[in-house]
Amino acid sequence: MTCATRSSPAPAEVWVLGSFSLTGAALVQHACSSLMVAAETGIAARAVSFHPGAFADNSVEDMSTEGPQLGVIYLRTLLRLSGRRPERAWIRRWRSMNRLIARSARVAVITTRPALQWMYVAEILILFALLCRFPHRVAWHGLRQNPYRIMRGLGLTTAAPVTNSDAEDWTLRTLSDRSINPLRLAEAHVLRALNGAAGAALSPAAARQIRDLTRIAATLKPRDIEAAARRADQKVTPRSPRPFRAAYAPGLQDKGSVRIVEHMRLLRLARRNWIRFAPAPPSVLERSDSLGGAILRDLAGAGRPEDATLVAPLRRALLAAPGGLTGMEWMRAVALRLPISDADTLAAPWSASTMAKTLRARWAEIVPGTPSQSDAVTVAGFTENETGLALNLAMSAAALRHAGIPVTIDPVDANRTAENRIPDTAQYQCLRPTAIYHLNADRLPQTMLNRAPAYGIGFLLWELDRLPKAHRLALEMLDEIWVPSVFLRHVYQRNFDRKVVFMRKALVLPPAASMPKPKPGTRRFITCFDAGSSVARKNPLATVEAFRMAFPTDPDVELVIKSTPTEASHWGDPEDQMRRIDAIAAHDPRIRVIRQHLPMRQLLGLISTATALVSPHRAEGFGYFPAFALSLGVPVVVTDHGGTRDFCTPETSTPVRAELVPVPRGHAIFETPGARWAEIDVTALARALKDIAEDLAPALRRAHAGQLMMQTDYALPGQAKRYAARLTELGLIAPRDSARDSGLIAAE
C-alpha cells in the first residue's frame, strides 16, 4: 500500500493517536515507541488520545492544527468504548478521526490481532473504510511492524532503535511536563513496578501483600469508595446542620435516593455531576467478597462483626518506611486511581511519600473537615463577570467592610481562590460561622454541601411570581433569605417557613466613561439588557414597536437596543425577538442594535447619553438598568410590575401599565406552573415616549427625585447599616467592645 508522494510539503509535526498509560502492554509500548521515534526526527511530536481525560497532549476532538501533518493511528483505541451510549461515542470518535486525517498529508494506521475475533473484524472494516476514503493518504501496518520502519514509510529519517522500556520511560517523563491530564495509578503500573528493581528489593511477603491488595483494590470502583466514605459523613441526626438534614432526607419520588440527588436530576445534570452526593447503594455495602466488601462497609460506618479481623491488619503501615501508606490507604490509592506526579513515584508507588500526600489531599476533598469557628463572614458566589450575581457579591463584600465586619470572599468561579481580608481595625467580632450566598437557588444545594456548615443566608434573585421546583431544596437548606425588593419578599415568603428580609441593594458605581452623544436636538431612547438572562423576559421588541408607533417618520429621534452577544437559538428568545428587531432596524436607520459586552464605565457612559432609558420588562426581581439610569439622573420609562416598583414610582419615573398574563410554556429557564408576568401596554408606552420627546422637563424632575433616592436608600452606608443590624440581631456578630465585656472573646 503506497503513501503520498515524497514531494509533499515538509510536515510541521507528527501526531500519534493511541494510548500512553504506560501499562507494559504491547499496544502501549508500541505507541510510546512511535512517539519517541517521531520526536527523534527533530519534528514536533504530539501524543493524542480519544479520551479527553487521558494522559496525552490533546484529545482528538481538541486537535485544531492545520496540515501538512504526519500521523499514526492505533485502531484498537477507537473500539475501547464504555458508558450508557457507546454507539454515540463511537460516532463522535469516527468523525473526529476523519477530520484529523483530512488535515494530514500521510497517516499510518496500525491494526492488531486481539483475542476477541469481533474486534479484529471491526478493525479490518474500519481500515477498509479509511482506505476507500483516503486512498492516497493512509498506509496500513500491523502491530509487529517496527515503529522505525513505520516512520521511514512516512518519509522520516530515524535514529537507532531503542527498547520498549526506554520508550515508556521517555514518554512518561516527556508527557508529565506537557500533558493536560496526569497519569493515573492502575493495577498494571503496580505489577510493572513489582517486576522491576523496586519490587526486587522487597521481601517476598511484602511483595505478595502489595500484589494481593492491589488486585482486590482494582475491583473497587472509585465512585463506590467515595459514596461509602460520604455515607458515613451523611448520617443525619437532629443535631446535624440544617443543610445536611434537608439535602440527605429521603427523596420524594425515588425511595432509594435522597433529596439532593433528586434535585440534581431535576436540573438534568449528567450522572457524573451528582453521583458523589448519592449515598452508597445497598449492593455496594453487601458485597459478598470478603476483603473488598469489608473495606466499603468500614468506610461507610456499617461494619459487621466478621469484618473486624479483615480490616484490622490494614490499619498498620504497608511498609516500615516513615510517612508511608497503611494497607487501607494503599487500597484507597489504587481504587481511586490517584495521579502519578513523576517517574520516580511510578517506580515504587507504595513507598512514595508524594503518593501519601496526594491520597490524603484527595481524601480531604471527599470527606471535608468542619472548622468549628470562623473569624469572618463568608461571601460566596461568582466574581469574574458583571452579571447581577457578581455585582451583588461585590456589593455585599463592600457593605460588610464599610460596616467594619471581617469578610472572606469565597468564589465559585473556576480557578479562583478565596480572599481573606480581615482588617485589624474591624469593629465587629464574628461569633458563629456565617455565609452569605450570592447564587441562584438552583445552584445553592451542591455549593452549600461542598463547604463547611455555617449559618446560611441566601441573597436570592428571581423574576416570576411563582418559584420552580428547582428552587425548593435550597429554601429548606437556608437559615434565612435576603431579597432586594418587596416583590421578591412576597414571592419567597410564600414558600419559606423562616424570615425573608427586605435588604434592598447598594449601588457602587464607577465614574461613567465619555461616550458619543446624539446630534443636538435629537432625542435618544435606549433599552439595555443581558440577552443571556432571557430576551423574552426583557421584551425589547415592545420598545421597538412603541418607538415606531410614537415616531413614525420623525428624524430627530433615535433608538439604541443594547444587548450582550448570544446565539440565534438561545433558549431565552423563543419568540425570535432579536431577529425581528434586526429586520426592522435594517429598514429604519433611526434604530441601532449593539451586541457586545461593554465594561461598566462605558455601559454607564452609554446610558448617560440617553434622553430616557426604557425597560418594557415582563418580569424583574430588582432591575439593575433602571437603577443605573436613576443613579445617573437619566429619566426612566418602565413596566409597572416587579422589583422596580420599589424605586420606579410615579414620583421618580414613568411607570407604564401592564396586564398580568400566564408565562407561556418554554419561556422561563425552569418550568414554573401557575407563574404570571406582565405584558406592557405598547400604546401607553408609545404615548410616554412621545410625551418625553415633546417636553423633557417633567421627566428630568422625576429623574432628579429618583437620583436622590438612589443616593440615600440605595447607597453603601445604608446597606452597611442594614447588614450590621441584621447580623447583630441574629447573634452572628457583635461589636468588639461588647463582645469582650460579655466574655465572648478573650481579652488581649
Side-chain angles (χ1 to χ4, degrees):
M1 189 66 60
T2 59
C3 299
T5 62
R6 297 297 177 88
S7 61
S8 300
E13 68 178 7
V14 180
W15 49 264
V16 180
L17 177 55
S19 175
F20 308 93
S21 58
L22 310 182
T23 61
L27 184 66
V28 177
Q29 290 178 343
H30 202 280
C32 292
S33 297
S34 297
L35 186 67
M36 183 178 180
V37 170
E40 287 182 346
T41 64
I43 298 176
R46 179 177 298 189
V48 185
S49 173
F50 279 115
H51 307 280
F55 181 59
D57 290 326
N58 292 92
S59 70
V60 64
E61 294 183 358
D62 295 333
M63 286 286 286
S64 59
T65 55
E66 298 181 356
Q69 312 289 326
L70 299 180
V72 180
I73 295 176
Y74 291 85
L75 289 184
R76 173 76 69 81
T77 59
L78 179 64
L79 300 174
R80 289 177 175 170
L81 302 171
S82 60
R84 300 178 61 184
R85 303 299 294 270
E87 68 281 0
R88 292 188 178 181
W90 190 90
I91 293 173
R92 287 197 302 269
R93 292 182 183 183
W94 169 257
R95 290 175 176 173
S96 300
M97 183 179 69
N98 276 264
R99 286 194 296 267
L100 191 57
I101 295 175
R103 290 196 298 263
S104 302
R106 283 164 286 167
V107 176
V109 177
I110 313 298
T111 61
T112 63
R113 285 191 176 272
L116 297 176
Q117 186 67 26
W118 72 266
M119 292 188 69
Y120 183 63
V121 173
E123 287 188 18
I124 296 300
L125 292 176
I126 294 171
L127 173 65
F128 181 75
L130 293 177
L131 290 174
C132 292
R133 185 170 185 185
F134 306 103
H136 302 295
R137 297 186 186 184
V138 172
W140 176 25
H141 298 276
L143 193 63
R144 294 182 180 180
Q145 188 77 45
N146 190 292
Y148 289 84
R149 295 189 62 183
I150 294 174
M151 291 302 163
R152 291 193 194 103
L154 293 176
L156 299 178
T157 303
T158 60
V162 296
T163 64
N164 290 333
S165 178
D166 290 341
E168 284 189 328
D169 291 339
W170 177 89
T171 303
L172 171 62
R173 297 178 187 279
T174 302
L175 292 186
S176 293
D177 294 333
R178 64 187 210 206
S179 173
I180 299 175
N181 302 287
L183 177 66
R184 294 190 172 275
L185 182 65
E187 178 186 9
H189 298 151
V190 180
L191 299 180
R192 181 172 181 260
L194 286 172
N195 293 329
L202 295 173
S203 67
R208 190 183 314 110
Q209 181 189 19
I210 292 173
R211 182 178 289 105
D212 292 343
L213 293 181
T214 300
R215 286 173 174 167
I216 296 173
T219 66
L220 303 177
K221 297 179 180 179
R223 67 186 183 192
D224 289 346
I225 290 283
E226 295 188 21
R230 283 195 168 88
R231 186 178 189 274
D233 191 52
Q234 293 168 2
K235 288 184 176 178
V236 180
T237 68
R239 300 186 64 181
S240 297
R242 176 184 294 277
F244 293 93
R245 295 201 307 272
Y248 295 115
L252 298 178
Q253 305 296 332
D254 187 350
K255 294 182 179 179
S257 184
V258 291
R259 294 288 300 280
I260 179 63
V261 172
E262 288 194 0
H263 169 76
M264 301 184 88
R265 284 175 177 164
L266 185 66
L267 300 182
R268 298 182 179 178
L269 297 178
R271 182 180 173 85
R272 63 178 177 272
N273 293 323
W274 53 259
I275 187 64
R276 59 198 179 93
F277 293 105
S283 58
V284 171
L285 303 183
E286 296 173 2
R287 287 182 54 143
S288 57
D289 62 295
S290 55
L291 187 55
I295 290 171
L296 292 176
R297 288 189 290 271
D298 180 75
L299 289 176
R304 301 171 182 173
E306 61 270 22
D307 294 339
T309 56
L310 297 172
V311 174
L314 299 181
R315 303 195 187 281
R316 296 192 290 267
L318 188 65
L319 298 174
L325 299 168
T326 64
M328 181 73 77
E329 288 178 324
W330 172 249
M331 296 193 74
R332 292 177 191 171
V334 177
L336 292 173
R337 295 181 59 83
L338 290 184
I340 300 295
S341 58
D342 51 48
D344 295 333
T345 300
L346 190 62
W350 53 80
S351 62
S353 59
T354 54
M355 184 60 68
K357 293 178 182 177
T358 302
L359 173 67
R360 288 158 192 167
R362 179 73 183 97
W363 204 248
E365 296 176 0
I366 297 173
V367 187
T370 303
S372 58
Q373 296 293 330
S374 176
D375 53 2
V377 173
T378 299
V379 182
F382 292 103
T383 62
E384 291 186 339
N385 52 41
E386 292 185 349
T387 62
L389 292 172
L391 293 175
N392 288 346
L393 183 143
M395 169 202 71
S396 286
L400 291 168
R401 293 192 190 106
H402 191 277
I405 301 170
V407 182
T408 294
I409 298 178
D410 183 8
V412 300
D413 315 84
N415 303 320
R416 291 299 300 271
T417 57
E419 302 176 23
N420 196 358
R421 303 179 184 179
I422 304 175
D424 296 333
T425 57
Q427 302 174 26
Y428 288 89
Q429 170 74 19
C430 295
L431 306 180
R432 287 179 56 189
T434 305
I436 303 174
Y437 294 96
H438 286 284
L439 292 166
N440 289 328
D442 57 279
R443 180 72 181 265
L444 267 174
Q446 55 267 44
T447 302
M448 295 179 71
L449 292 180
N450 280 333
R451 282 154 176 80
Y455 189 91
I457 300 172
F459 199 108
L460 302 184
L461 296 176
W462 183 240
E463 295 82 23
L464 305 180
D465 60 355
R466 297 289 186 275
L467 295 179
K469 290 182 179 179
H471 286 203
R472 299 300 172 86
L473 180 58
L475 303 191
E476 296 189 26
M477 296 174 65
L478 289 168
D479 294 289
E480 183 161 302
I481 292 176
W482 292 355
V483 293
S485 65
V486 174
F487 169 77
L488 284 180
R489 183 176 63 183
H490 294 323
V491 172
Y492 278 106
Q493 195 65 81
R494 287 197 298 265
N495 300 272
F496 193 59
D497 59 1
R498 291 165 295 284
K499 188 164 185 177
V500 178
V501 181
F502 172 40
M503 195 59 73
R504 297 187 188 273
K505 283 191 183 183
L507 298 184
V508 184
L509 304 180
S514 177
M515 298 291 284
K517 297 181 179 180
K519 294 183 297 184
T522 299
R523 303 297 197 202
R524 172 183 288 176
F525 298 94
I526 185 170
T527 291
C528 295
F529 62 97
D530 179 359
S533 296
S534 174
V535 177
R537 180 171 65 82
K538 300 295 185 177
N539 198 22
L541 185 60
T543 304
V544 176
E545 293 174 345
F547 176 82
R548 300 185 74 204
M549 187 182 299
F551 315 107
T553 59
D554 191 344
D556 295 329
V557 292
E558 65 179 28
L559 174 63
V560 176
I561 303 295
K562 162 64 181 72
S563 78
T564 54
T566 186
E567 62 274 13
S569 58
H570 189 268
W571 70 268
D573 194 8
E575 300 165 327
D576 214 9
Q577 287 200 19
M578 293 307 298
R579 184 191 61 79
R580 294 163 66 183
I581 290 174
D582 289 336
I584 295 172
H587 297 88
D588 192 338
R590 302 174 303 167
I591 301 175
R592 182 160 55 106
V593 181
I594 302 175
R595 281 190 179 89
Q596 68 180 92
H597 289 285
L598 289 180
M600 180 59 74
R601 294 187 67 243
Q602 294 184 23
L603 179 61
L604 296 176
L606 179 63
I607 295 174
S608 68
T609 66
T611 303
L613 179 133
V614 186
S615 178
H617 62 263
R618 289 164 166 160
E620 276 290 7
F622 174 71
Y624 260 120
F625 285 107
F628 291 162
L630 289 182
S631 297
L632 297 170
V634 174
V636 172
V637 183
V638 61
T639 305
D640 190 18
H641 174 72
T644 55
R645 276 186 162 183
D646 293 340
F647 51 89
C648 289
T649 67
E651 291 74 29
T652 61
S653 64
T654 306
V656 179
R657 66 175 178 268
E659 178 185 2
L660 291 180
V661 298
V663 178
R665 186 178 180 84
H667 281 50
I669 189 170
F670 296 115
E671 290 298 329
T672 312
R676 299 180 302 169
W677 62 14
E679 199 68 58
I680 195 169
D681 186 332
V682 176
T683 302
L685 177 60
R687 190 179 307 114
L689 300 184
K690 190 172 184 65
D691 290 345
I692 290 176
E694 293 176 350
D695 187 2
L696 183 59
L700 288 175
R701 287 194 295 270
R702 292 193 294 270
H704 179 66
Q707 188 176 33
L708 293 178
M709 176 186 288
M710 289 293 144
Q711 293 171 352
T712 53
D713 295 349
Y714 292 86
L716 187 62
Q719 192 76 357
K721 290 180 180 179
R722 290 190 286 272
Y723 277 19
R726 183 57 185 163
L727 293 175
T728 302
E729 181 183 355
L730 292 171
L732 302 175
I733 63 172
R736 283 189 175 274
D737 292 340
S738 63
R740 183 178 293 111
D741 293 342
S742 61
L744 293 174
I745 57 176
E748 299 175 352

